[in-house]
Amino acid sequence: MYTTLFTTIENNILTITINRPEKLNALNQQVMEELGQAMDEAENDSQVRSIIITGAGEKAFVAGADIKEFLAVSEGEKLAKKGQDIFFKIENASKPVVAAVNGFALGGGCELAMACHFRLASENAKFGQPEVNLGLIPGYGGTQRLTQLIGKGRAMELLLTGNMLDASTALQYGLVNYVVPANELIARTIALLDVINKKAPIAVRECIKAVNAVYDPGKNGFEEEAKSFGITFKTEDMKEGATAFLEKRKAEFKGK
Ligand code: COA
């Protein structure tokens, strides 16, 4: 049971809703710990094929790390590393994790959305890394993932000005894949995940791994891709997929 998250599993999709709407879903340490736990549980739950992360209420996805906790922190580096580790769990999850950004995604909220595999946004969503206004920099991967996603010049501008991006600019920058009316956001996210959930789970997992290898300086992405290709080639699902194609029928994947 979580105190800061609300979770549901429906049609193999786990929805994690960060549930502190009165504080615009700010990430305090409790939320961060529960997010980590929820990701661990999702990994181990065979019922879960994919994950949506969203925020409670109509105003915010997540308006940042909880600023109230900052003044009591003595070791900033430790806090950042702990948060980064939790976000690595999301980025390296073996199941797709999609952010449904339903409002402000600022600071840690923007970083959380960027740790997900891809993002959909509602028309009222706003993105930004306003840490510079607090005399800080992002600590949960924001300087790295923002630069990876939108390029150096645009990332520098956002990080140095602390300005917010509206949803249509975020779309133009490639920060989000779709912008949809707020009342369609979850349905559109589910519709995409329903497509993915019909694919072979091992192929989905290996795709995520190989794409993530692009951003891991310790890995050769092409070697990782070949390894992953080899893994998928040995699966029963690959035999089923190829046979189904030749027999002109739909494949029934089993995740084996
Ligand atoms: N940490 C802690 N509390 C936060 C928060 C955060 N990151 N963001 C919002 N809240 C709280 C506010 O303190 C307020 O609480 P209160 O009602 O007890 O005073 C409540 O959430 C509502 O926020 P409020 O600022 O009144 O809403 P608004 O519509 O006027 O402004 C924002 C919305 C998002 C522009 C504004 O809340 C904001 O700038 N938040 C901080 C963003 C930020 O700097 N994030 C990076 C942190 S590293």
Side-chain angles (χ1 to χ4, degrees):
M1 271 301 277
Y2 302 109
T3 59
T4 64
L5 307 178
F6 175 68
T7 60
T8 57
I9 302 177
E10 225 172 292
N11 293 327
N12 305 110
I13 299 172
L14 167 68
T15 301
I16 301 174
T17 306
I18 298 166
N19 193 21
R20 298 181 74 210
E22 69 294 343
K23 296 291 176 196
L24 305 188
N25 305 318
L27 301 174
N28 61 17
Q29 286 309 298
Q30 178 86 13
V31 178
M32 291 297 281
E33 260 163 45
E34 291 190 355
L35 259 178
Q37 281 169 32
M39 288 310 303
D40 289 341
E41 283 179 27
E43 276 299 327
N44 297 323
D45 187 341
S46 58
Q47 240 197 100
V48 175
R49 298 280 299 270
S50 53
I51 298 138
I52 298 173
I53 300 182
T54 193
E58 291 172 359
K59 205 166 156 184
F61 172 70
V62 167
D66 193 321
I67 299 169
K68 210 170 168 188
E69 289 185 343
F70 279 1
L71 294 176
V73 171
S74 54
E75 286 277 355
E77 188 174 342
K78 254 192 203 157
L79 180 76
K81 285 209 165 130
K82 207 167 139 196
Q84 288 181 3
D85 284 346
I86 291 163
F87 286 9
F88 282 138
K89 282 189 189 189
I90 295 171
E91 182 165 59
N92 296 319
S94 68
K95 305 170 185 184
V97 189
V98 178
V101 180
N102 57 311
F104 289 113
L106 302 175
C110 190
E111 292 172 296
L112 172 61
M114 293 192 296
C116 295
H117 296 131
F118 60 90
R119 291 144 290 284
L120 280 79
S122 58
E123 286 164 348
N124 64 320
K126 288 219 160 55
F127 296 81
Q129 297 289 163
E131 287 86 348
V132 72
N133 296 329
L134 305 172
L136 280 172
I137 77 161
Y140 295 167
T143 60
Q144 306 304 294
R145 293 194 182 96
L146 190 64
T147 309
Q148 290 164 355
L149 281 164
I150 69 172
K152 185 174 174 182
R154 285 165 169 171
M156 279 286 190
E157 182 186 335
L158 272 187
L159 292 161
L160 299 179
T161 60
N163 285 345
M164 288 187 211
L165 287 184
D166 60 19
S168 63
T169 313
L171 180 65
Q172 189 203 325
Y173 281 11
L175 188 55
V176 302
N177 292 14
Y178 301 95
V179 175
V180 300
N183 61 1
E184 293 173 20
L185 179 64
I186 296 297
R188 286 287 297 274
T189 312
I190 288 173
L192 270 176
L193 290 177
D194 280 340
V195 172
I196 297 172
N197 288 350
K198 292 195 180 72
K199 312 300 174 196
I202 296 172
V204 168
R205 180 191 76 199
E206 295 303 316
C207 249
I208 295 171
K209 245 199 310 192
V211 172
N212 281 342
V214 174
Y215 303 100
D216 184 338
K219 284 186 178 152
N220 177 323
F222 286 94
E223 273 173 22
E224 296 301 320
E225 182 186 271
K227 253 192 248 168
S228 287
F229 184 77
I231 289 168
T232 54
F233 222 81
K234 283 194 204 129
T235 60
E236 285 177 27
D237 280 350
M238 179 271 178
K239 285 183 191 82
E240 164 63 9
T243 309
F245 174 80
L246 295 172
E247 292 175 355
K248 301 191 189 304
R249 60 171 175 85
K250 265 201 166 159
E252 296 271 344
F253 294 121
K254 297 203 165 65
K256 289 184 185 160

